[in-house]
Amino acid sequence: MLAALTAAAWLPTPAEAGKANDTLNIAWDRELPNADYYFNNSREGIVVNRMIWDNLIYRDPNTGEFKGLLAESFEIVDDTTFEFKLRKGVTFHNGEEFDAGDVVATINFLLKPDTGKLAQQGVDWIKGAEAIDDYTVRIYAIEPNPLALLYLAGDVPIYPEKYYAEVGPSGMGQAPVGTGPYKVEKLVPGKEIVFKANENYYAGSPKGQPAIGTIHQRTIPDVNTQIVELTSGKLDWIWKVPPDQAEKLATLPSLNVVSAGTMRVGYLTFDVTGKSGDNPFQDVRVRKAVSHAIDRKAIVDNIVRGASEVIHSACFPEQFGCTQDVTQYEYDPEKAKALLAEAGYPDGFRTEFYAYRNRDYLEPMLGFLQQVGIETDLRFGKYAATRDAIRSGNVPLAFMTWGSGSVPDVDAIAPVFFGGGPDDLAQDPEVHEALKKGGGTVDRDVRLAAYDKALNKIAAEAYWLPLWTFNTNYAMSQDVDWTPTADEIPRFFLADWK
């Protein structure tokens, strides 16, 4: 790859190719077979969603402030009632006028149980919606939900009632229509999308007016091909660049390389309750031994690199309620050996170890475990298979990751893994109660206290070993004015040329 990169760097680069044509050429590696947001669950789908559609409200990624989007203003009437005053004069890309009927129709569709939609978490809290008049809507929650505004700002794009009734998810997936800052000029499923700036985008949107005329997305599975096209001027922006290649690209004067933290965290999960049969990890001393055995900082500094950082709590540090003031397990292999001996394993033991990604991170972890006497049989597979094996009770130890759906709140991670559901391998009633209390109110102080209690118990009992935050490396032309955010959602409607 180094030879290819070096050769590409000396190719005649068409300077300002994207800028000259007012076309931002971007690429990612995964196919998006269906552009209908409600029928895909990929991060690429989230990116496309924010381009084409608008929600009732918008969360500023820098300040966290909620602002009116399709809603001019909004009011929290009570813990389960939200009222929205809608903008007038907004039109969908196909010319349909936007009003309360579109909001109610979208909500009603999402509440149907048999649609096959994949995006569920963002809507399963909704009881219903009501049009008070043509430009006033009320949305009702089943019970108080502290994440309601976050979900409404991210997971409930509003669709045109008439168009969606005519074409359904299949038609929307092939020819998307929204009110957003960009409309789709061309879409070849899984291969490319051409976005054109919406010349009729309404004034006053917190997304701002689109500054770049055309954004051309292509799916290029091979990162080496992406890099060659970027260095030769055929692409203006790529992401998820491997650390070693990002460092090489950063030496080229025509490119700007940025490493940015994301909400994805890595962790080791233990079979605390013995679902997989009697195993050493039912003993807290063994879990603590593993936690002391792995030099997380060394792995971050030398392999993960970039903007990643070691974490100690079962959440992403910037999420609401994510205290890092919990029991911490520093690298101490001698203490790990002493704990293993105390637990009855003076010579260590052998265990299966499941994982689905990042073999380069896995190898040093397995090496550190081996140094204290823990031998591992690696079971490396795909994410879904690994997750299902954990839920089925077949996994004693696993390396997993979680991105919280880019939701900046502890409620998007801790209850998933410690709230009593299928991914909860600890089943601690005290933690269940605290998380339920934190997720059942909109009172910030009550929530903070509840999450603090839950996260401290999780750390003290070493139910997880939180590892580190993940980062994403972005590489782009020096002509591109664009800044990444921690939620790992590229907002190209905020991009411009330098």
Side-chain angles (χ1 to χ4, degrees):
M1 178 58 218
L2 178 59
L5 178 56
T6 303
W10 291 102
L11 290 175
T13 301
E16 302 186 352
K19 184 176 181 180
N21 297 324
D22 196 21
T23 298
L24 179 66
N25 296 287
I26 67 174
W28 52 62
D29 63 342
R30 295 197 297 180
E31 294 184 3
L32 184 67
N34 189 341
D36 187 325
Y37 176 69
Y38 295 117
F39 290 83
N40 72 72
N41 56 5
S42 69
R43 186 160 299 274
E44 290 78 9
I46 296 174
V47 176
V48 171
N49 164 37
R50 306 298 173 94
M51 300 270 286
I52 301 172
W53 291 286
D54 284 337
N55 295 48
L56 290 171
I57 55 178
Y58 177 76
R59 181 182 180 274
D60 188 304
N62 297 313
T63 67
E65 180 186 0
F66 291 103
K67 302 175 181 179
L69 191 52
L70 284 175
E72 240 176 9
S73 62
F74 61 95
E75 175 188 1
I76 302 175
V77 179
D78 55 47
D79 281 356
T80 58
T81 307
F82 306 85
E83 184 171 287
F84 302 87
K85 296 291 185 181
L86 307 181
R87 294 181 188 270
K88 298 178 181 179
V90 175
T91 59
F92 288 93
H93 300 153
N94 64 351
E96 283 187 41
E97 293 186 7
F98 162 75
D99 62 21
D102 300 299
V103 179
V104 174
T106 298
I107 299 298
N108 286 342
F109 171 78
L110 295 176
L111 295 182
K112 291 180 180 179
D114 56 353
T115 60
K117 61 185 178 298
L118 297 178
Q120 188 63 43
Q121 177 177 275
V123 299
D124 60 8
W125 59 275
I126 299 177
K127 181 178 181 180
E130 175 187 15
I132 306 302
D133 57 44
D134 286 349
Y135 292 96
T136 306
V137 171
R138 283 194 171 188
I139 293 178
Y140 303 97
I142 298 171
E143 58 186 7
N145 187 324
L147 303 188
L149 291 181
L150 284 169
Y151 288 138
L152 288 172
D155 293 316
V156 190
I158 304 303
Y159 283 10
E161 179 182 9
K162 294 178 182 177
Y163 181 72
Y164 205 45
E166 292 172 1
V167 305
S170 176
M172 183 66 89
Q174 299 289 325
V177 171
T179 59
Y182 282 87
K183 53 189 178 182
V184 173
E185 181 182 72
K186 177 183 179 182
L187 188 154
V188 181
K191 294 185 177 180
E192 67 174 330
I193 307 175
V194 177
F195 302 91
K196 286 288 186 181
N198 179 5
E199 67 275 11
N200 296 318
Y201 195 53
Y202 50 94
S205 166
K207 288 183 175 181
Q209 293 298 309
I212 296 177
T214 302
I215 298 176
H216 186 188
Q217 177 273 329
R218 287 187 292 141
T219 302
I220 303 177
D222 180 57
V223 67
N224 291 338
T225 303
Q226 291 185 22
I227 289 172
V228 170
E229 292 212 13
L230 178 71
T231 56
S232 64
K234 295 178 181 178
L235 285 173
D236 300 298
W237 181 98
I238 60 175
W239 66 346
K240 302 179 183 177
V241 181
D244 57 337
Q245 298 181 17
E247 290 174 1
K248 295 182 181 78
L249 289 174
T251 66
L252 302 181
S254 61
L255 300 179
N256 181 28
V257 176
V258 179
S259 177
T262 74
M263 282 190 196
R264 182 164 299 278
V265 299
Y267 61 92
L268 296 188
T269 182
F270 306 101
D271 179 14
V272 177
T273 60
K275 287 179 68 177
S276 62
D278 287 340
N279 69 80
F281 306 108
Q282 293 173 263
D283 191 318
V284 65
R285 293 168 295 187
V286 173
R287 302 194 299 270
K288 288 183 177 181
V290 170
S291 301
H292 283 297
I294 297 175
D295 191 343
R296 293 171 289 166
K297 188 175 187 303
I299 297 174
V300 167
D301 289 348
N302 296 289
I303 302 175
V304 187
R305 304 202 294 270
S308 293
E309 59 182 355
V310 173
I311 56 173
H312 304 284
S313 197
C315 47
F316 176 70
E318 292 181 23
Q319 288 178 307
F320 176 84
C322 183
T323 177
Q324 293 293 307
D325 186 16
V326 298
T327 302
Q328 299 186 9
Y329 300 93
E330 301 301 332
Y331 176 56
D332 190 338
E334 294 306 314
K335 187 170 186 177
K337 291 177 183 178
L339 284 165
L340 288 175
E342 185 181 328
Y345 302 99
D347 299 319
F349 58 87
R350 194 171 197 92
T351 182
E352 292 180 340
F353 188 114
Y354 282 70
Y356 76 99
R357 63 179 289 168
N358 299 116
R359 279 184 177 272
D360 51 341
Y361 304 169
L362 269 173
E363 290 176 3
M365 282 195 281
L366 300 183
F368 283 124
L369 291 177
Q370 187 178 42
Q371 288 175 16
V372 300
I374 300 176
E375 302 288 339
T376 54
D377 296 323
L378 181 61
R379 301 287 189 268
F380 194 87
K382 294 184 177 180
Y383 169 74
T386 305
R387 177 203 61 203
D388 291 346
I390 291 173
R391 291 177 175 178
S392 299
N394 298 321
V395 177
L397 174 65
F399 164 49
M400 300 293 285
T401 75
W402 185 252
S404 294
S406 297
V407 175
D409 194 290
V410 164
D411 201 64
I413 182 170
V416 176
F417 298 101
F418 300 101
D423 295 299
D424 184 354
L425 302 187
Q427 295 295 335
D428 185 319
E430 184 180 356
V431 174
H432 294 172
E433 181 182 357
L435 292 176
K436 184 176 181 180
K437 186 174 183 179
T441 178
V442 296
D443 187 306
R444 291 175 58 89
D445 292 337
V446 172
R447 297 189 71 218
L448 287 172
Y451 292 141
D452 183 84
K453 181 177 182 180
L455 293 169
N456 268 281
K457 181 70 181 297
I458 291 166
E461 295 293 328
Y463 291 146
W464 262 19
L465 172 60
L467 296 170
W468 48 73
T469 62
F470 278 67
N471 67 76
T472 295
N473 295 314
Y474 305 85
M476 66 202 83
S477 162
Q478 288 283 6
D479 295 325
V480 177
D481 184 3
W482 175 86
T483 304
T485 52
D487 57 14
E488 204 178 1
I489 301 175
R491 292 168 173 81
F492 294 112
F493 52 83
L494 296 178
D496 202 347
W497 301 112
K498 291 182 181 177

